[in-house]
Amino acid sequence: MKDLPFHILLFLASGTVIVTISVMFSEADDGSALRVLPKRLLYFFAGCGAVAVVMLICEHTFASIHWGG
């Protein structure tokens, strides 16, 4: 658990690179790509956060059930 901040930093860096490259290839010119980039980064990281929350809820729900006696 001590490496969690480092892993979050690595995820943010790699996610930013992936989204930036995809925006640069999807837009016709660099000006429009730079205008769209913050919104796409927000959507990407919000989506990843939502998936993480759902996974944590599922883990808390299903891992806390004790079968048998």
Side-chain angles (χ1 to χ4, degrees), residues 5-65:
F6 182 67
H7 286 116
I8 290 173
L9 181 68
L10 286 175
F11 172 74
L12 291 173
S14 61
T16 301
V17 168
I18 291 168
V19 172
T20 303
I21 289 173
S22 70
V23 166
M24 291 299 173
F25 281 120
S26 67
E27 296 296 323
D29 62 342
D30 290 344
S32 63
L34 290 175
R35 284 191 299 275
V36 174
L37 182 61
K39 184 173 72 169
R40 297 243 182 122
L41 284 170
L42 177 67
Y43 287 161
F44 176 75
F45 288 122
C48 290
V51 169
V53 167
V54 169
M55 289 174 60
L56 288 172
I57 289 171
C58 288
E59 182 223 0
H60 177 73
T61 302
F62 297 123
S64 65
I65 297 175

